Amino acid sequence: MIRPTENPPPTAMKLLPHQAALVETVFSPDSKRVVALRSDVGMGKSVALIAVAGRLLEERPMARALFVVPATLRAQFAYMLRAAGVPNRIVDRYAYRELLDATAEKEIWPTGIVMVLSLEFATQPDVEDSLAQSTWDIVFVYEWHVTKGVRTTSLRRILASAQKAVLASATPPSHEIFEVDTTVVNWRRDLVVDSDGKPLFTPPRLLFEEVSFSLDATEIELRSTVIELVKTIGGVAGAWDLRPRMLIRSLESSPEALERSLQSMIYGATAPAEMMEDLIDSEKESASIDKANEGTESGQVVALARRVLQQIEAINNDSKLNAFTALLSRIEDQDGSPRRVLVVTEFLATLFYLAAEIEAHMKCQLLYGAMGADERARSLQAFLGGSGILIASRTAIGEGINLRAVTDLLFYDLPWTEAAAERLLARLQQVGGVRVVNLYVLRATNIADEYKAGSSDRLIKLFRDRP
Amino acid sequence: MTASIPNLRLLDHSAVARELDLASELFHRINRIIPQDQKVLTVPPKCRVRDAIKLMQEHGYSQLPVVNEGEVLGVFSFRSFAQEAARATLDEWNREKCGPGDLTVDEFLEQFEFARVTEEMNRVFDAIDRDNGILIGTPERLIGVLTPMDFLRYLYQVASPFVMISEIELALRALMRLALSESQIVTAAQRCLSDAYGGADKVPIALEEMTFDNYQSLVSHGESWPQFESVFGGTRTRASAKLKEVAAIRNDLFHFKREITVRDHETLAAHRNWLLSKIKQAEAHAKAEVRP
């Protein structure tokens, strides 16, 4: 059991006992040069790391500190550091050039301010050299388990320049990035206690419901054409091509998502990188993302894609959307208690599609990746502070978002991987979580082709088996 | 969490860094124009011309900085090579006992000006016009190379969302006018927007006076949609979703809330193309109607 520390960190941040204990561990002379935190999702890793950074700069105002985080979390970390009063600067290529330009000295990295870099940028050869040649008082690496291959080597080089390194991850290490001389801190949801020694986390009970609907004849015909297109692409581009799966996923999401995927195909735009990464993860493939975007479309593929677009235009019914709105009405009328319904989709086009459908009847907030931090905070506050619906893209429900007030979780699209679903479910189980969360998925019952998403059965089982 | 850490007294230490942050966020200076993914390719002075030109062709560059022990000596370019090569006579080539490709790049150097990343765009126009490029940084620390094409791409990238939004907005107005007469627009506006404006008499009645959100409300209103359906096609939800997505980007763009991403560009282009196709369909329909 991890017991709370007797001496909380001298910052104004209100830390949970296990977070305060981590801060103490990092600053303890007994801890090793590298502190590796392995934590279950939703236990406040980022807050703890920010508290460490804050305390370091409080005690040593001229310290040099570096955060290396996934690119998708970079702005969020900067926002959280700022909110905690810790001066910081996001360093991308532009900022890096300005740092180079600002001094003729070899050392370009300033002190007294936390540098926030994406993992991808930090491991670019010239940046890596510069980081590795500096002397860092502390380097934080967040979600370090995502590093693979040469990036691992790069990260090791950067870490070697740090007097102290804190590595945090929600996933058990599949390879050892850190040296043997490491202090390992393990945060497990079932082991963490509050200051009275009672279990801190009370996971909600999930009430799972599969909401069935049937596609009508026009929707089934559309699906047949999309499958024909998928088979044609398979013949043109080869097995590494991720677009067929993207098409099927978008077809199963909404007509808007499908239309956008087809337009991307016709006009040559690429799928968002994070989606591709998800797909690669889910299929355990090593195919390169770049390769997925290569390939020229044959006239046949483009002609078929245009035919699908015409079919979408001609269809006036959306059975899934109808099932969705009926479900929302049912949830709203359930028991008179205020409901906070989180609707999660994988596609931005679907997010706006759902918002357009329901906003005339119900109050709803939106949350998606391109929103600025302030706007995002406002949206979350409006949702969590009252009742209503939050429609969110799954990738935007990331680090630092507390979903404990959610009463109903509705997966409009099934997450693309089990890990993604698990990460999201864990966010419901934070401190003070509600007792029961209703979990819904929408599923067409009259699809029998081989292109039905293979992972959906596994996911449904995962939801059913969950206590 | 209580989000504050008192008594840090750190801000003064990072004043320079913060100033750079703010200036680079607010102003379109040289730094923004250098492609984000630019990898500066250099060659040593004793690199043979043949190898340098091969390298330039492989990367699609027309010049290469020549660097010796970290210091820029000059630039080898197609132009510098051509000028020097054309100047030499046949006798001189014979005396060299080698072809031009066997010589080293340091015999064909030209000098480019240097600019700092924090400088204004117009400061380098003359130099770029004259030399077809400019080096960024200092001879001891080369940060990048800027070409006229980099300028063109950057300015297009900055301007194109505004151009697309104007196309979208004007196309939307045109389609709404095709669907409804002026008096029908007034009726629809009063029906859809009265609540938002606090009374029918306060509602904007001309399309030019309305906001983009007003357009979306008009098009997606249940009672108005049957009239709009003939020009927009598809379903009300789909048309409304597209306009809603455009409105969100437009709002961020015109209020300078954030930088427009590649995905935003794609979204605007997709919805612009959707409206273009509707305009074309409406035109074709109108032509067919007037045909005897």
Side-chain angles (χ1 to χ4, degrees):
Chain A
M1 289 269 189
I2 298 169
R3 291 279 171 186
T5 174
E6 294 297 318
N7 301 308
T11 70
M13 293 177 81
K14 193 178 171 190
L15 299 175
L16 295 166
H18 62 287
Q19 293 169 325
L22 178 82
V23 177
E24 291 304 317
T25 301
V26 173
F27 285 96
S28 164
D30 298 333
S31 70
K32 305 280 173 46
R33 192 179 73 85
V34 176
V35 176
L37 168 64
R38 214 293 306 167
S39 159
D40 286 344
V41 171
M43 294 182 69
K45 294 188 298 295
S46 47
V47 170
L49 299 196
I50 286 164
V52 172
R55 175 160 154 186
L56 174 74
L57 292 183
E58 193 176 38
E59 291 180 359
R60 295 163 58 193
M62 296 305 283
R64 189 173 277 123
L66 169 68
F67 266 81
V68 180
V69 303
T72 49
L73 298 179
R74 198 181 53 177
Q76 202 166 328
F77 261 94
Y79 180 80
M80 290 169 72
L81 282 160
R82 195 165 64 243
V86 182
N88 69 92
R89 184 179 187 198
I90 289 179
V91 181
D92 56 8
R93 179 57 68 181
Y94 299 118
Y96 180 65
R97 284 189 199 128
E98 292 198 356
L99 289 171
L100 283 171
D101 187 74
T103 176
E105 302 298 318
K106 197 175 173 187
E107 177 59 80
I108 64 162
W109 301 100
T111 58
I113 179 168
V114 175
M115 300 283 110
V116 184
L117 275 70
S118 73
L119 178 65
E120 186 194 28
F121 182 64
T123 52
Q124 288 181 12
D126 58 333
V127 183
E128 175 197 325
D129 281 347
S130 178
L131 291 170
Q133 284 163 18
S134 188
T135 305
W136 297 93
D137 293 284
I138 195 160
V139 173
F140 301 91
V141 183
Y142 194 80
E143 302 295 14
W144 53 271
H145 67 277
V146 298
T147 55
K148 288 170 189 161
V150 288
R151 282 204 184 141
T152 307
T153 313
S154 301
L155 212 48
R156 276 207 193 101
R157 259 193 87 202
I158 296 166
L159 290 175
S161 67
Q163 289 176 9
K164 197 86 183 180
V166 182
L167 313 176
S169 174
T171 310
S174 56
H175 59 276
E176 296 295 314
I177 190 172
F178 46 86
E179 58 207 66
V180 180
D181 196 20
T182 298
T183 298
V184 178
V185 177
N186 207 352
W187 285 357
R188 274 179 47 188
R189 191 173 294 281
D190 55 336
L191 292 185
V192 173
V193 294
D194 64 16
S195 50
D196 299 326
K198 292 177 186 163
L200 197 57
F201 291 91
T202 49
R205 195 158 60 88
L206 292 179
L207 288 182
F208 175 64
E209 182 182 339
E210 190 179 323
V211 179
S212 304
F213 63 94
S214 296
L215 299 180
D216 71 13
T218 57
E219 290 170 313
I220 288 174
E221 193 186 339
L222 173 71
R223 187 175 175 92
S224 302
T225 318
V226 173
I227 287 172
E228 193 184 338
L229 173 60
V230 162
K231 285 178 178 169
T232 309
I233 295 169
V236 169
W240 48 262
D241 199 329
L242 298 176
R243 287 169 304 173
R245 268 169 285 159
M246 177 65 81
L247 271 178
I248 294 291
R249 300 271 189 186
S250 59
L251 166 73
E252 293 185 350
S253 181
S254 72
E256 274 301 286
L258 178 60
E259 183 182 324
R260 293 296 297 282
S261 293
L262 291 163
Q263 283 169 336
S264 294
M265 184 173 286
I266 293 169
Y267 298 111
T270 57
E274 70 269 22
M275 289 184 179
M276 289 296 189
E277 280 168 6
D278 261 356
L279 281 175
I280 289 169
D281 276 353
S282 70
E283 303 298 329
K284 305 282 184 214
E285 282 182 2
S286 57
S288 88
I289 291 170
D290 292 342
K291 215 174 178 186
N293 296 324
E294 289 173 3
T296 53
E297 306 307 338
S298 70
Q300 194 185 0
V301 167
V302 173
L304 265 173
R306 290 192 193 284
R307 202 171 103 203
V308 177
L309 281 173
Q310 284 168 0
Q311 275 182 296
I312 296 171
E313 200 70 358
I315 290 177
N316 284 317
N317 182 46
D318 184 345
S319 303
K320 185 180 177 186
L321 186 67
N322 295 340
F324 168 71
T325 50
L327 175 62
L328 284 185
S329 302
R330 180 155 63 87
I331 292 171
E332 207 180 23
D333 298 339
Q334 217 157 37
D335 56 7
S337 62
R339 315 299 301 181
R340 291 186 199 88
V341 185
L342 172 63
V343 181
V344 180
T345 173
E346 300 287 320
F347 292 90
L348 191 59
T350 301
L351 180 143
F352 281 100
Y353 180 67
L354 299 180
E357 175 64 20
I358 64 175
E359 70 178 0
H361 325 288
M362 300 174 194
K363 188 179 161 192
C364 81
Q365 305 292 332
L366 303 183
L367 190 77
Y368 52 95
M371 287 170 91
D374 293 337
E375 204 175 351
R376 185 187 286 238
R378 270 198 300 275
S379 191
L380 270 173
Q381 201 175 4
F383 170 66
L384 296 172
S387 61
I389 299 163
L390 176 70
I391 308 174
S393 67
R394 201 247 314 150
T395 48
I397 308 268
E399 187 54 38
I401 292 181
N402 191 332
L403 302 175
R404 63 174 180 242
V406 169
T407 58
D408 300 83
L409 172 61
L410 199 164
F411 283 119
Y412 195 80
D413 311 314
L414 280 172
W416 291 359
T417 65
E418 285 172 54
E422 284 287 6
R423 278 197 293 272
L424 192 52
L425 290 178
R427 297 238 157 263
L428 302 172
Q429 304 184 23
Q430 302 202 18
V431 181
V434 290
R435 186 102 183 98
V436 178
V437 173
N438 297 302
L439 171 63
Y440 306 94
V441 300
L442 299 158
R443 215 176 185 203
T445 50
N446 56 341
I447 299 174
D449 56 63
E450 72 271 32
Y451 287 89
K452 189 175 156 186
S455 58
S456 57
D457 289 338
R458 289 198 305 274
L459 277 168
I460 299 285
K461 186 173 183 318
L462 176 89
F463 298 148
R464 273 196 199 293
D465 294 347
R466 217 177 169 88
Chain B
M1 124 188 159
T2 309
S4 67
I5 299 178
N7 305 320
L8 279 178
R9 296 189 303 275
L10 293 166
L11 294 180
D12 291 342
H13 298 300
S14 58
V16 173
R18 282 186 300 110
E19 190 277 326
L20 286 173
D21 242 1
L22 201 60
S24 59
E25 272 175 27
L26 299 180
F27 295 93
H28 295 255
R29 303 190 300 184
I30 293 293
N31 196 5
R32 296 290 194 99
I33 306 163
I34 311 168
Q36 196 169 4
D37 56 353
Q38 183 180 81
K39 290 184 175 67
V40 180
L41 194 63
T42 63
V43 287
K46 294 304 171 193
C47 174
R48 286 198 302 181
V49 164
R50 181 179 296 116
D51 298 330
I53 287 182
K54 190 179 172 204
L55 208 56
M56 285 154 71
Q57 285 173 329
E58 280 171 4
H59 289 84
Y61 294 163
S62 51
Q63 64 273 98
L64 287 174
V66 177
V67 175
N68 187 39
E69 293 181 354
E71 185 170 349
V72 179
L73 302 180
V75 174
F76 173 78
S77 67
F78 287 126
R79 186 176 64 175
S80 71
F81 175 63
Q83 282 173 343
E84 283 300 315
R87 201 170 291 149
T89 64
L90 182 60
D91 283 347
E92 284 170 328
W93 286 119
N94 284 335
R95 272 202 300 278
E96 291 279 352
K97 291 184 181 171
C98 64
D102 296 319
L103 296 171
T104 53
V105 293
D106 58 355
E107 296 192 40
F108 299 92
L109 293 185
E110 62 178 328
Q111 296 303 319
F112 275 20
E113 277 191 27
F114 280 87
R116 298 189 61 182
V117 295
T118 48
E119 278 184 290
E120 302 297 330
M121 279 192 222
N122 57 3
R123 145 78 180 77
V124 301
F125 282 165
D126 290 343
I128 286 217
D129 187 30
R130 186 185 59 239
D131 299 333
N132 209 31
I134 193 163
L135 301 178
I136 309 301
T138 62
E140 294 76 30
R141 181 176 272 169
L142 179 64
I143 296 175
V145 180
L146 206 57
T147 67
M149 203 59 210
D150 295 328
F151 263 98
L152 189 61
R153 286 208 179 92
Y154 178 73
L155 292 174
Y156 174 76
Q157 185 195 327
V158 170
S160 61
F162 291 94
V163 173
M164 280 196 282
I165 290 280
S166 78
E167 289 176 331
I168 287 170
E169 199 152 332
L170 293 175
L172 188 55
R173 282 186 204 163
L175 286 169
M176 291 171 81
R177 285 205 170 94
L178 284 172
L180 302 183
S181 66
E182 290 297 329
S183 62
Q184 285 173 319
I185 288 171
V186 173
T187 310
Q190 288 172 339
R191 186 171 54 219
C192 305
L193 306 174
S194 288
D195 285 349
Y197 282 87
D201 55 326
K202 293 174 186 164
V203 167
I205 50 173
L207 288 178
E208 283 73 14
E209 292 170 4
M210 293 182 197
T211 66
F212 199 90
D213 286 339
N214 291 158
Y215 299 151
Q216 192 221 332
S217 299
L218 250 66
V219 171
S220 58
H221 194 277
E223 289 179 48
S224 312
W225 175 249
Q227 292 166 293
F228 286 119
E229 192 176 4
S230 60
V231 292
F232 288 103
T235 65
R236 179 170 65 92
T237 307
R238 290 189 49 231
S240 181
K242 287 181 174 70
L243 299 182
K244 194 171 176 58
E245 201 171 3
V246 170
I249 298 172
R250 184 189 184 282
N251 192 33
D252 289 347
L253 181 70
F254 282 16
H255 292 280
F256 310 108
K257 286 185 177 174
R258 62 178 176 87
E259 282 200 31
I260 297 303
T261 64
V262 173
R263 189 190 278 187
D264 295 326
H265 264 267
E266 288 177 9
T267 300
L268 289 177
H271 296 339
R272 172 202 173 274
N273 291 342
W274 170 69
L275 286 168
L276 179 63
S277 74
K278 298 301 168 196
I279 290 279
K280 283 180 176 173
Q281 283 169 22
E283 273 183 335
H285 185 69
K287 279 178 189 166
E289 273 189 347
V290 296
R291 217 169 278 151

